[in-house]
Amino acid sequence: MEPGIVIIGCGAAGGTAAQFARKTDRKIPVVILEKGKYSQYSKCGLPYVISNGIPSFDDLVEFSEEWFKKARIDLYLETIVETIDVENKQVIARKNNEEIVFPYTSLIIATGAEARIPPIKNLEKSLPKNVFLLRTIEDGKGIVSILDEIDKPVIVGAGFIGLELAESFHKRIKDVTIVEALPSILPNTLDKDMSISIQKELSKYLTILVNHLVEEVHINNGYVDSITLRNTETKEQMKMDVDLLVIATGTKPEVTLAQQIGCRIGETGGVIVNNRCMTSIPNIYAIGDCTEYHDFITGNSMLVGLGSIAVRQGIVAGVNAAGGNRFLPRGFLQTCTSRFFNIEVASVGVPSHRISNDIISARYTGSSLPEYYPGGNPVTVKILVDREKGVVIGGQVFGENAAQRINTIACAVRNQMHIDDFRDLETAYAPPIAPTFDPITITGEVASMKWRRK
Amino acid sequence: MEPGIVIIGCGAAGGTAAQFARKTDRKIPVVILEKGKYSQYSKCGLPYVISNGIPSFDDLVEFSEEWFKKARIDLYLETIVETIDVENKQVIARKNNEEIVFPYTSLIIATGAEARIPPIKNLEKSLPKNVFLLRTIEDGKGIVSILDEIDKPVIVGAGFIGLELAESFHKRIKDVTIVEALPSILPNTLDKDMSISIQKELSKYLTILVNHLVEEVHINNGYVDSITLRNTETKEQMKMDVDLLVIATGTKPEVTLAQQIGCRIGETGGVIVNNRCMTSIPNIYAIGDCTEYHDFITGNSMLVGLGSIAVRQGIVAGVNAAGGNRFLPRGFLQTCTSRFFNIEVASVGVPSHRISNDIISARYTGSSLPEYYPGGNPVTVKILVDREKGVVIGGQVFGENAAQRINTIACAVRNQMHIDDFRDLETAYAPPIAPTFDPITITGEVASMKWRRK
């Protein structure tokens, strides 16, 4: 086999890297080794198949085996990498009990992440039949297979995936509970005041228990039939009947192979990469959920947990591995969005409680349309400003077109735009589309006033 | 009467200036003199009352007489300013045949603009009964009063207002014609290739005649019953039956008073102001459609013709007139948007044919959603890049959320963002909301590739 670019993992990061390696060098062999049986598919789409927003799990496949074939990318599915032989620059993998050796010029590690299961009594070893994660199509199919018989589902973790899943359950089931150990929903994404506003709305549809830990699951005949919760504030215990438990408490990077060959691993547990996505070992790149990088604002290490970042890393690694030259920005903005129960939420940067800079923030609720035009919807915006420099360092929005509005704030953050300039940004105005001052700029006006009074 | 801030004109600019003058100094007298009978209303909303998107013309009033009263702003309606006495710092006005003298500490001229009527034979003196402009509520009411009997309306001018009006007519009338003298619709807003794509779609609903001048109207009993058009390319003449003619060919600044007192007037015909909205005469400001300012990119003088700019000038003049300190940016981006026949269009900066810089541009059509999520709509984006510097200098979008997408590009333009940084912008991604790369960033990728190959 001719040496070429070998990519371990065909998720969003690995698939994108293959695509851009091929674009950069039309001749070099490009190989992807994927342990699962699906080619590149959208993990983020899983809750929407469960909700029937997407018709079937097969629809989640973004690039099919045929697509990779046409692009002359050799995709090996159900292929487990056993060893990376750095000295001889080759990967030893196994498919159908057959060992195959893949020599590489460049290697890209895109092994992703695994669900992180919190310490819960009786969940230490294996998962009971009605306890699920939601990381793979298999997980999704497992949930769907029993969903018709469920009427007391509990979701652990009130992040985006937990809330998206809660909505999909709510479409079929009256009594859906979501349990969060921290004091507010979306604790990694929003400031508490923003979370509380959303939580209030969601409480119309869901039972939300914040400040609650699942301490124990009670198993009967291989199924969990109840759980014990503890209120982290009052320390009170509570028992609750459950017929489906989904753990959505985040992920941990899958770095076994990277660790074996001695790639530097960061404090967060992810592989450390530079701005070309190179690991500490020559010719070996790492991308996606198995890596860590810098947060744009704080400069702190952060785990890459977003598909949008994974694909951007995929481009950089793919281009560089194929002899091109492309760089990551100095840090990631972590722009993200989700929608549940008709509330669109979006954020850029990290929430206030994760930033050590001295911050000024402003929050404002306006309308998506001028007052005189019927049909406007509320838009709530929060903007974070560095007190010393006066620059925009983050934003959070919920309501109409939250995602698009956060993109504009993301552009401001990326440009380290001063709040006075952001306040003055000429946003597009037309009666049926947007008011003369978009709610984001009015929030900027309030933030600027607060900053000047500092 | 105690001297205070006197504002001539209660449009978006004047009304906003009053509001911010009051916010800046809670005690100083603030007076608005408005020749019309309505307090601050939205001119941009006029087409939507005609289309019934807004129930009545009265709904267009954004700030009522009561509102101004509560804000302790003295609003004089139907009050004509006769003279500005600069030496004695007073304005002499007439209301109900009574002369009133308003002494001022600061004067703000916000006299707006008037419709510009192109040279058309038989329209030189007065308008026949079925020929209308669309600048005022009176104009709108005039059109509505005869619309039920109309079946051959012609609109002259294919700018935003012309097209919005065409859509409102189309809701009631099968045969709507729009005539544009220049080679494409929206010639001040879009590059020709973008216009042509939209024109193709609009031609399903409208007869659109570009490269056509109205040379003559034929009057019968005080009504226009036909017009003569000339094709500017073939020079052929054509006669057309008409029962309603609306002239929407732009505006000219109303600067009579400013001129009388010797304010410097620019080449565009607007009052020249500095970045505090001051005219060439001490203590006299000018804002809104009667002024000119600099285009952000080209630095050229441009007429202020957008409500969104008028209100931003209003803030600056209001604050400064009341003793505060606020500045315009070095130029305006001219971000704008409109929607007709379900096509949302938006733009920032000036189109390529108005820029002398050497430009690289990229155009791309993507989807508002990831491919695997049902219901995505096309989004077409064009980005203009300065060839020498590599910075984003303009953008045009049509399709889903064009306005919000253009706001992000506007933020990039304002920050003189390099196309490589724009390309890498982390846009928000979630299956039901947006793809991993928003169409604006994919367009950035294409533009960046073209720029590197330059």
Side-chain angles (χ1 to χ4, degrees):
Chain A
M1 204 177 282
E2 198 193 334
I5 296 168
V6 175
I7 300 164
I8 306 176
C10 192
T16 305
Q19 204 179 122
F20 276 79
R22 172 52 68 240
K23 278 188 190 174
T24 306
D25 183 334
R26 303 199 170 222
K27 290 193 182 151
I28 194 167
V30 179
V31 174
I32 311 180
L33 310 176
E34 164 59 41
K35 70 175 181 208
K37 62 179 178 183
Y38 296 96
S39 67
Q40 187 181 345
Y41 70 89
S42 166
K43 289 195 191 326
C44 304
L46 291 167
Y48 302 99
V49 183
I50 298 171
S51 73
N52 292 327
I54 298 172
S56 104
F57 286 107
D58 292 337
D59 294 326
L60 295 181
V61 174
E62 297 184 88
F63 295 96
S64 63
E65 288 188 70
E66 292 69 44
W67 187 92
F68 283 106
K69 203 167 179 180
K70 272 191 193 155
R72 290 173 293 113
I73 292 165
D74 295 317
L75 170 60
Y76 289 76
L77 294 177
E78 297 179 272
T79 301
I80 313 278
V81 172
E82 296 191 324
T83 328
I84 300 168
D85 175 356
V86 175
E87 204 171 327
N88 298 304
K89 293 178 83 176
Q90 57 187 22
V91 171
I92 294 107
R94 185 168 293 278
K95 181 181 169 87
N96 299 331
N97 284 321
E98 191 195 342
E99 195 180 90
I100 319 182
V101 176
F102 298 93
Y104 64 79
T105 53
S106 297
L107 175 68
I108 301 176
I109 299 175
T111 41
E114 288 193 343
R116 188 161 45 81
I117 302 173
I120 296 174
K121 198 176 165 191
N122 298 330
L123 278 192
E124 297 89 350
K125 287 177 194 161
S126 63
L127 295 184
K129 291 175 188 162
N130 59 342
V131 178
F132 293 92
L133 311 170
L134 189 55
R135 287 291 296 168
T136 64
I137 286 184
E138 286 79 4
D139 294 334
K141 286 185 173 173
I143 292 171
V144 168
S145 72
I146 62 164
L147 204 55
D148 283 344
E149 295 133 47
I150 298 302
D151 49 28
K152 293 185 291 292
V154 171
I155 297 161
V156 187
F160 279 155
I161 293 173
L163 292 169
E164 289 159 4
L165 193 63
E167 183 183 23
S168 75
F169 285 177
H170 175 77
K171 289 188 176 169
R172 318 184 185 197
I173 302 158
K174 225 180 81 184
D175 184 12
V176 180
T177 299
I178 188 153
V179 179
E180 169 60 49
L182 292 169
S184 58
I185 63 168
L186 299 169
N188 298 320
T189 312
L190 298 183
D191 281 16
K192 198 173 170 186
D193 63 297
M194 296 290 275
S195 291
I196 285 173
S197 302
I198 296 168
Q199 194 173 323
K200 215 171 153 184
E201 180 64 20
L202 297 187
S203 295
K204 295 178 189 165
Y205 314 102
L206 305 172
T207 303
I208 301 176
L209 302 171
V210 293
N211 284 321
H212 275 78
L213 280 172
V214 180
E215 288 197 325
E216 183 175 358
V217 301
H218 306 282
I219 301 179
N220 188 348
N221 259 332
Y223 288 83
V224 168
D225 65 3
S226 62
I227 57 177
T228 300
L229 300 163
R230 187 181 293 273
N231 185 319
T232 58
E233 290 189 310
T234 64
K235 309 295 172 196
E236 276 175 77
Q237 269 196 341
M238 169 167 88
K239 211 174 163 187
M240 182 184 272
D241 287 346
V242 167
D243 53 11
L244 169 66
L245 190 70
V246 182
I247 311 283
T249 48
T251 59
K252 57 170 188 243
E254 172 45 65
V255 295
T256 314
L257 286 166
Q259 225 158 5
Q260 276 169 7
I261 58 174
C263 288
R264 269 184 71 205
I265 306 294
E267 276 176 34
T268 66
V271 180
I272 293 177
V273 294
N274 68 10
N275 67 350
R276 299 189 72 207
C277 290
M278 288 166 155
T279 67
S280 54
I281 299 180
N283 306 309
I284 300 187
Y285 299 80
I287 52 177
D289 291 358
C290 67
T291 67
E292 67 168 46
Y293 199 62
H294 321 292
D295 171 62
F296 183 82
I297 291 301
T298 63
N300 295 340
S301 297
M302 48 156 271
L303 278 175
V304 169
L306 292 167
S308 50
I309 297 183
V311 293
R312 282 158 174 84
Q313 288 182 313
I315 293 178
V316 170
V319 168
N320 290 329
N325 220 356
R326 193 144 164 174
F327 300 91
L328 295 178
R330 71 153 204 245
F332 286 121
L333 305 175
Q334 308 194 61
T335 320
C336 60
T337 185
S338 182
R339 192 193 289 146
F340 22 78
F341 300 97
N342 268 326
I343 307 173
E344 190 169 307
V345 182
S347 149
V348 61
V350 283
S352 299
H353 51 270
R354 299 275 158 91
I355 307 178
S356 58
N357 308 33
D358 200 358
I359 290 172
I360 287 172
S361 69
R363 177 181 163 157
Y364 169 81
T365 299
S367 174
S368 60
L369 293 183
E371 253 185 86
Y372 61 83
Y373 201 94
N377 290 308
V379 180
T380 299
V381 182
K382 185 164 187 177
I383 290 179
L384 312 185
V385 175
D386 181 283
R387 185 187 293 264
E388 196 197 327
K389 298 183 187 149
V391 301
V392 179
I393 59 169
Q396 298 157 30
V397 181
F398 64 87
E400 187 149 319
N401 277 330
Q404 289 295 331
R405 289 187 156 92
I406 216 70
N407 286 348
T408 303
I409 303 176
C411 190
V413 173
R414 171 70 189 252
N415 285 292
Q416 300 180 71
M417 193 175 196
H418 195 280
I419 186 63
D420 286 352
D421 294 328
F422 183 77
R423 166 197 77 179
D424 289 343
L425 183 68
E426 285 165 67
T427 51
Y429 155 61
I433 302 171
T436 47
F437 296 101
D438 193 90
I440 63 170
T441 59
I442 303 181
T443 314
E445 178 82 38
V446 181
S448 159
M449 283 193 302
K450 289 174 88 170
W451 182 73
R452 301 193 153 276
R453 268 194 252 118
K454 74 184 168 182
Chain B
M1 203 177 280
E2 198 195 331
I5 297 168
V6 175
I7 299 164
I8 306 176
C10 192
T16 305
Q19 204 179 125
F20 276 80
R22 174 51 69 240
K23 277 188 190 174
T24 307
D25 183 334
R26 303 198 170 223
K27 290 190 181 155
I28 194 166
V30 179
V31 174
I32 311 180
L33 311 176
E34 164 59 39
K35 69 176 182 205
K37 62 181 179 182
Y38 297 95
S39 68
Q40 187 182 344
Y41 69 89
S42 166
K43 289 193 192 325
C44 304
L46 290 167
Y48 303 97
V49 183
I50 298 171
S51 73
N52 292 327
I54 298 172
S56 106
F57 286 107
D58 292 337
D59 294 326
L60 296 181
V61 174
E62 297 184 87
F63 296 95
S64 64
E65 287 187 72
E66 292 69 43
W67 187 92
F68 284 105
K69 204 168 178 178
K70 272 190 194 156
R72 290 172 295 111
I73 293 165
D74 295 318
L75 171 60
Y76 288 76
L77 295 177
E78 298 181 273
T79 301
I80 313 277
V81 172
E82 297 192 322
T83 327
I84 300 168
D85 176 356
V86 175
E87 204 169 327
N88 298 304
K89 292 179 84 174
Q90 57 187 22
V91 171
I92 295 107
R94 186 167 293 276
K95 181 182 170 88
N96 300 329
N97 283 322
E98 190 195 342
E99 195 181 87
I100 319 182
V101 176
F102 299 92
Y104 64 79
T105 53
S106 298
L107 176 68
I108 301 176
I109 299 175
T111 42
E114 288 194 341
R116 188 162 43 81
I117 303 174
I120 296 174
K121 199 175 165 191
N122 299 330
L123 279 191
E124 297 89 350
K125 288 175 194 164
S126 62
L127 295 184
K129 291 175 188 162
N130 59 342
V131 178
F132 293 92
L133 311 169
L134 189 54
R135 287 290 298 168
T136 63
I137 285 184
E138 286 79 3
D139 294 334
K141 285 185 174 173
I143 292 171
V144 167
S145 72
I146 64 164
L147 203 54
D148 283 345
E149 295 134 47
I150 298 302
D151 49 28
K152 293 185 292 291
V154 171
I155 297 161
V156 188
F160 280 155
I161 293 173
L163 293 169
E164 288 159 7
L165 194 62
E167 183 182 25
S168 76
F169 285 178
H170 175 78
K171 289 187 177 171
R172 317 184 186 200
I173 302 158
K174 223 179 83 184
D175 185 12
V176 179
T177 299
I178 189 153
V179 179
E180 170 59 50
L182 292 169
S184 58
I185 63 168
L186 299 169
N188 298 320
T189 311
L190 297 184
D191 281 16
K192 199 174 170 186
D193 63 296
M194 296 290 275
S195 292
I196 285 174
S197 303
I198 295 169
Q199 194 172 321
K200 214 170 154 185
E201 181 64 20
L202 297 187
S203 295
K204 295 178 189 166
Y205 313 102
L206 305 173
T207 302
I208 301 176
L209 301 172
V210 294
N211 285 320
H212 275 78
L213 280 172
V214 180
E215 287 198 324
E216 184 175 356
V217 300
H218 306 282
I219 301 179
N220 189 348
N221 261 329
Y223 288 83
V224 168
D225 64 3
S226 62
I227 58 176
T228 300
L229 300 164
R230 188 181 292 274
N231 185 318
T232 57
E233 291 189 310
T234 65
K235 308 296 172 197
E236 275 175 78
Q237 269 196 340
M238 169 167 87
K239 212 174 163 186
M240 181 185 272
D241 287 347
V242 166
D243 54 10
L244 170 65
L245 190 69
V246 182
I247 312 282
T249 48
T251 60
K252 58 171 188 243
E254 172 46 65
V255 295
T256 314
L257 287 166
Q259 226 158 6
Q260 277 168 6
I261 58 173
C263 287
R264 270 185 71 204
I265 307 292
E267 276 176 34
T268 66
V271 180
I272 294 176
V273 294
N274 67 12
N275 67 351
R276 299 190 73 208
C277 290
M278 288 167 155
T279 68
S280 54
I281 300 179
N283 305 308
I284 301 187
Y285 299 80
I287 52 177
D289 291 358
C290 67
T291 67
E292 67 167 46
Y293 198 61
H294 321 293
D295 170 62
F296 184 82
I297 291 301
T298 64
N300 296 339
S301 296
M302 48 155 271
L303 280 175
V304 169
L306 293 167
S308 49
I309 297 183
V311 293
R312 282 158 174 83
Q313 287 183 313
I315 293 178
V316 170
V319 169
N320 290 328
N325 219 356
R326 192 143 165 175
F327 300 91
L328 295 178
R330 72 155 204 242
F332 287 121
L333 305 175
Q334 307 193 63
T335 320
C336 61
T337 186
S338 182
R339 191 193 290 147
F340 22 78
F341 300 98
N342 269 325
I343 307 174
E344 190 168 307
V345 182
S347 148
V348 62
V350 283
S352 299
H353 51 270
R354 299 275 159 89
I355 307 178
S356 58
N357 307 33
D358 200 357
I359 291 172
I360 287 171
S361 69
R363 178 182 163 158
Y364 169 81
T365 299
S367 174
S368 60
L369 294 184
E371 253 184 87
Y372 62 84
Y373 201 94
N377 291 308
V379 180
T380 299
V381 182
K382 185 164 186 176
I383 291 179
L384 311 185
V385 175
D386 181 285
R387 186 188 291 266
E388 196 197 327
K389 296 182 188 149
V391 301
V392 180
I393 60 170
Q396 298 157 31
V397 181
F398 64 87
E400 187 149 319
N401 278 328
Q404 289 296 332
R405 289 189 157 90
I406 216 70
N407 286 349
T408 303
I409 302 177
C411 190
V413 172
R414 171 72 189 253
N415 285 291
Q416 301 181 70
M417 193 176 195
H418 196 281
I419 186 63
D420 286 352
D421 293 329
F422 183 77
R423 165 196 77 179
D424 289 342
L425 184 68
E426 285 166 65
T427 52
Y429 155 60
I433 301 171
T436 46
F437 297 101
D438 193 90
I440 63 171
T441 59
I442 303 182
T443 313
E445 177 82 38
V446 180
S448 160
M449 282 194 302
K450 289 173 86 170
W451 182 73
R452 302 193 153 274
R453 266 194 252 118
K454 78 187 166 186

